[in-house]
Amino acid sequence: MGITFGDNQYGKVECRLVRVDRDVDGTPGRNAIKDITVTTTLAGDFDATHLHGDNTGLLPTDSHKNAAHAFAKNGIGEIEDFGLRLARYFVDSIDTVKRARIRLEEHHWDRVNEHAFVRSGRETRTATITYDGTTAWAVSGIRDLALFQTAGSQFHSFLQDEYTLLGETGDRTYATLVKASWRHNHIQDGHDWATAYRQASDSLIDTFCTIRSQSTQQVLYTMGHTLLDTCPTLAEVRLHMPNLHHLHIDLSPFGMDNHEEVLYPSDRPYGLMEGTVLRDDAPAPGLAWW
């Protein structure tokens, strides 16, 4: 029986990078910052390196990091555009590279004055760009989106077996930490990524805040369905939603009632719901999710 070397890839993981833009909007002394994490992943003709130790076709991962730094000199802009520029550079400039995947995270800072900022506790914006020399795919997203309902959520009429202890409820607190990724139908130069991101994140938040929840599964599907309705250029959305429990604390030993006012946020174990909502006529994802 023979042995064959299979799929492989390599890259530089979590390159931290801050770009300061000086005198933005033509205002002297007014600066802006872009804080991102970049991960590069290259695939291609690297058999000789693995099988024979021949590194002549292998670009060092340190060069991946340096390329990201050098590309940032001309500005980052929207992270999807930055990822496209990097991916195209690796594939179009290096013969042994057949596919590049660039994963990006953007970390938000809120402006205090013209040149001072405070790190925001907001969610993290994400993007994954894949390019194979002919086609480019873009998956944008969001993670660490913390959402909380203090009322308006139910969970009842569920299946019960001999081990079921959970009681039914017609009103409960409900919290989650959303990770969502949405695949774009087509990529065109000049695409307004910032507006698309705001529309998508606003849709997710608005749906969560207004739905009368029967279960996390129902919320997940409704958020995905509404997002696709709101953003016609998206092909599908994938959602990862833990159910972050906030447990009742018994205050009766202190002679106090607790009407779900004082809660204990339990970090584990937790329920986890995941799902994909997609259009029936969505184009095939290709390498977008690989």
Side-chain angles (χ1 to χ4, degrees), residues 43-212:
D45 185 10
F46 306 125
D47 285 3
T49 298
H50 292 88
L51 303 182
H52 309 298
D54 179 357
N55 296 329
T56 56
L58 190 75
L59 184 71
T61 62
D62 188 64
S63 300
H64 301 196
K65 175 198 69 179
N66 295 340
H69 291 171
F71 272 63
K73 172 61 180 176
N74 292 323
I76 292 174
E78 301 301 327
I79 56 176
E80 290 87 352
D81 286 328
F82 187 73
L84 276 168
R85 293 196 296 272
L86 269 180
R88 286 169 174 160
Y89 164 75
F90 287 125
V91 175
D92 294 342
S93 302
I94 302 170
D95 290 341
T96 52
V97 176
K98 306 306 179 186
R99 186 190 72 236
R101 169 158 288 158
I102 313 297
R103 300 185 188 275
L104 304 107
E105 296 180 350
E106 181 175 351
H107 316 288
H108 296 281
W109 293 80
D110 291 329
R111 178 181 299 281
V112 177
N113 59 34
E114 297 296 89
H115 56 267
F117 304 84
V118 59
R119 180 63 180 269
S120 170
R122 293 164 49 194
E123 73 284 350
T124 299
R125 178 177 172 180
T126 64
T128 300
I129 305 298
T130 306
Y131 176 63
D132 66 359
T134 302
T135 305
W137 296 267
V139 176
S140 302
I142 193 171
R143 68 171 177 81
D144 300 330
L145 175 60
L147 300 173
F148 198 120
Q149 286 187 354
T150 58
S153 176
Q154 307 175 40
F155 191 52
H156 55 78
S157 305
F158 46 81
L159 179 68
Q160 301 189 33
D161 66 4
E162 59 186 305
Y163 302 108
T164 300
L165 300 176
L166 183 69
E168 299 185 348
T169 178
D171 197 17
R172 63 173 180 172
T173 59
Y174 172 44
T176 188
L177 194 65
V178 176
K179 177 182 177 182
S181 301
W182 45 89
R183 177 168 62 92
H184 299 267
N185 270 323
H186 304 288
I187 297 179
Q188 296 178 343
D189 291 337
H191 183 77
D192 190 349
W193 301 106
T195 297
Y197 175 78
R198 286 194 299 270
Q199 288 177 338
S201 59
D202 287 349
S203 173
L204 293 172
I205 294 169
D206 290 346
T207 303
F208 177 89
C209 293
T210 56
I211 190 173
R212 179 72 178 178

Side-chain angles (χ1 to χ4, degrees), residues 222-243:
T222 306
M223 289 172 70
H225 189 283
T226 304
L227 175 55
L228 294 183
D229 271 347
T230 303
C231 303
T233 62
L234 302 183
E236 65 177 297
V237 55
R238 296 187 176 186
L239 288 151
H240 169 108
M241 294 179 61
N243 190 354

